[in-house]
Amino acid sequence: MNKLLHISIIFMSLLLASCGKDEDDVTSFSFTYPTDNSKGYVKVLQQHTVGNGFPIIIMADGYLQSDITSGTYHNVVSNAVNALFAVEPMTSLKAYFDIYEVQAASEVSGITSTQRNTAFSTYFESTTGVMITGDNTKIENYAWYTLKKDYSKFHNALVIMLVNSTRYGGVTQLAANYSSTDSIPGGFSLAYVPTGCKVNNVSYFTQVLQHEAIGHGIGKLADEYTEKYDAPSQEVIDKYLNLQKNGLYINTKYDADTENPVVEGTLRMTSGGTVTKYVIGGHTMQPGDIGYLFACDAGYSNEELGWIQGGYTYLTPSTTLYTGDNTNYLGWYTTEKNFYRPTWRSLMNDVIEQDSKTFNALSRYIIYCRVLKVAQGSPGNIHNEQLQRRFMQFDTMRSYSSAAKGAAPHARSIKEISTEQTLPALPAPKLIEKITLD
């Protein structure tokens, strides 16, 4: 072999080995949070292979150093990662994401309704309710240091705070102060989810995490249920419409005309032996609605897309009727006048029924657009038919490969249903008005 060629091969081998070593070195690092001198250890669980990356940062609170050393902490984070990508469109979009595990030890184990000396001071706001809160400033700054103070990444990051509790609950906080010229939502999100999350020994962790972290956190979707059958105030309507201008809650719709529904049915709620009936109005989707093309397509006929009354929650948790695991919660399927959701059930509507374990087509589309916007730059206006058809070809849950337009959209004629539930509605997202970074 030529001597010069031999030396070149050795040099290239050393160079490649060095590059590999450098890449390994960046898969974990630590930082010190200057405010309280606490330590964060970061493991990079996945780096994107498509686009420029969508950051997901997963932390856990109420776990001891021994839980970190034994691998228990990492296992609960791994469970969260598995849950994130167990549902479409996340399964098919996994290559777009950067996933970080942030390890921080607490001095006491478990999360209760009392603020304790845990790493992020998380706690349930009441002894029986579902609302969780914590030291948002510290959590946000841990994410800031995890992303090495890269504001372009932090601005669109999703943080998942796993709390060490078996109680049912969860909530997501959304930054909504960014204008959206393409109607695709943007901004930082923080989702709180209990790692146990059980009711009557049945785990709802996967569904609650998907509802909170994917639905609210990535898609900025509205809850597709409400708590009372009342006419909303003008203040509520104005707030809702303003949020939609920023790309939030566009899986639902406000329509003042409830007097002449295209379809209507009766919802029969049974709770504690008391029967309450509601007449529910429904409308077909119209040209201009984001879901209109899907509603007209035979591939989505099984989803029965339309506008069904009841699709926006704005009441505070203090008004709920939930007082414990075995209390019949009246409110899970009740409706709010003038607000509409696109399907009878979905992951944004409930986490109990078998046909509620997926996002509906409209929600999948919004999540898809958000991921593309963050990881690749804006794919175009969310109302654009070409973008919608691109999604239809991508969507593995669509029944047919063609994007042929059907004759007319379909709205479900709601049947009388008798139901009795034991779970409370998860609270509406809370808006983040200010983020303070060190």
Side-chain angles (χ1 to χ4, degrees):
M1 180 184 290
N2 182 285
K3 184 175 182 180
L4 180 60
L5 177 60
H6 180 67
I7 293 172
S8 297
I9 291 172
I10 293 174
F11 174 76
M12 287 301 295
S13 298
L14 290 172
L15 181 61
L16 289 172
S18 175
C19 289
K21 184 178 186 299
D22 290 342
E23 186 171 330
D24 290 341
D25 286 345
V26 300
T27 59
S28 62
F29 59 92
S30 61
F31 60 81
T32 301
Y33 177 47
T35 300
D36 61 8
N37 207 38
S38 59
K39 302 288 185 181
Y41 182 78
V42 181
K43 296 177 69 175
V44 182
L45 302 182
Q46 174 179 303
Q47 293 179 307
H48 66 273
T49 56
V50 179
N52 300 312
F54 188 125
I56 297 179
I57 303 161
I58 306 175
M59 314 178 198
D61 200 25
Y63 288 90
L64 305 174
Q65 180 60 49
S66 59
D67 294 319
I68 295 175
T69 303
S70 68
T72 298
Y73 190 107
H74 176 68
N75 288 341
V76 299
V77 172
S78 295
N79 289 341
V81 173
N82 292 337
L84 278 172
F85 297 103
V87 66
E88 290 290 355
M90 295 293 288
T91 305
S92 299
L93 292 169
K94 187 175 182 179
Y96 287 89
F97 289 92
D98 294 318
I99 307 173
Y100 305 85
E101 173 185 334
V102 180
Q103 297 178 351
S106 296
E107 293 187 17
V108 294
S109 179
I111 301 302
T112 68
S113 57
T114 302
Q115 191 172 6
R116 308 166 76 204
N117 194 17
T118 60
F120 300 103
S121 304
T122 61
Y123 64 99
F124 284 85
E125 291 189 356
S126 67
T127 57
T128 58
V130 295
M131 180 67 82
I132 306 169
T133 192
D135 187 342
N136 292 338
T137 298
K138 185 173 183 178
I139 295 167
E140 290 157 4
N141 275 281
Y142 262 58
W144 176 238
Y145 282 95
T146 298
L147 297 175
K148 300 183 176 180
K149 298 184 178 183
D150 185 330
Y151 183 76
S152 63
K153 292 182 179 179
F154 177 86
H155 163 72
N156 277 307
L158 165 65
V159 175
I160 301 173
M161 175 53 66
L162 302 172
V163 300
N164 186 9
S165 173
T166 58
R167 279 180 56 175
Y168 181 86
V171 67
T172 302
Q173 301 188 11
L174 308 176
N177 56 338
Y178 306 104
S179 60
S180 178
T181 57
D182 52 16
S183 297
I184 299 173
F188 177 88
S189 301
L190 167 59
Y192 287 92
V193 181
T195 54
C197 205
K198 292 182 179 179
V199 176
N200 296 330
N201 209 34
V202 177
S203 174
Y204 294 98
F205 170 74
T206 294
Q207 297 96 308
V208 170
L209 184 135
Q210 291 168 348
H211 174 100
E212 295 292 346
I214 303 172
H216 290 317
I218 295 178
K220 312 283 185 173
L221 305 176
D223 288 312
E224 294 178 5
Y225 53 80
T226 51
E227 309 223 3
K228 296 177 74 175
Y229 189 66
D230 288 339
S233 68
Q234 191 60 49
E235 180 182 359
V236 167
I237 296 168
D238 291 344
K239 175 185 175 182
Y240 170 86
L241 295 177
N242 185 59
L243 289 171
Q244 282 203 320
K245 289 179 182 178
N246 286 291
L248 276 70
Y249 299 168
I250 54 179
N251 59 312
T252 57
K253 180 181 181 179
Y254 172 76
D255 185 349
D257 181 16
T258 58
E259 300 302 319
N260 298 294
V262 175
V263 297
E264 72 175 30
T266 301
L267 174 63
R268 181 173 177 266
M269 285 288 299
T270 305
S271 181
T274 301
V275 176
T276 306
K277 291 186 178 182
Y278 296 98
V279 175
I280 302 174
H283 297 262
T284 55
M285 291 185 171
Q286 301 298 316
D289 293 336
I290 298 177
Y292 178 72
L293 189 64
F294 310 142
C296 291
D297 186 82
Y300 294 110
S301 61
N302 62 312
E303 297 198 32
E304 299 181 305
L305 290 154
W307 291 120
I308 299 169
Q309 205 172 120
Y312 177 52
T313 299
Y314 65 87
L315 299 181
T316 60
S318 62
T319 64
T320 64
L321 305 178
Y322 181 62
T323 57
D325 286 352
N326 296 311
T327 299
N328 295 318
Y329 180 79
L330 184 60
W332 195 251
Y333 291 113
T334 55
T335 60
E336 184 70 48
K337 287 182 180 178
N338 308 111
F339 290 107
Y340 292 81
R341 63 184 187 269
T343 54
W344 180 240
R345 288 197 176 107
S346 76
L347 259 170
M348 299 314 294
N349 173 252
D350 80 52
V351 297
I352 301 175
E353 303 296 336
Q354 187 60 39
D355 58 351
S356 299
K357 296 191 177 175
T358 60
F359 294 102
N360 57 46
L362 180 53
S363 294
R364 294 197 303 275
Y365 172 62
I366 296 167
I367 294 166
Y368 166 84
C369 289
R370 173 87 200 287
V371 174
L372 292 190
K373 179 178 181 176
V374 174
Q376 291 190 325
S378 176
N381 193 285
I382 202 165
H383 293 273
N384 183 274
E385 183 175 321
Q386 184 177 356
L387 179 57
Q388 293 175 35
R389 291 187 180 276
R390 176 181 170 187
F391 166 74
M392 291 163 73
Q393 295 296 330
F394 161 88
D395 188 17
T396 62
M397 295 188 69
R398 185 167 170 267
S399 301
Y400 299 90
S401 59
S402 68
K405 187 175 180 180
H410 173 77
R412 179 172 184 158
S413 179
I414 304 164
K415 301 176 182 178
E416 186 168 306
I417 295 176
S418 176
T419 184
E420 187 158 356
Q421 299 297 338
T422 57
L423 288 181
L426 295 167
K430 297 177 67 175
L431 298 182
I432 300 174
E433 297 182 359
K434 182 179 180 181
I435 294 177
T436 303
L437 300 172
D438 287 331

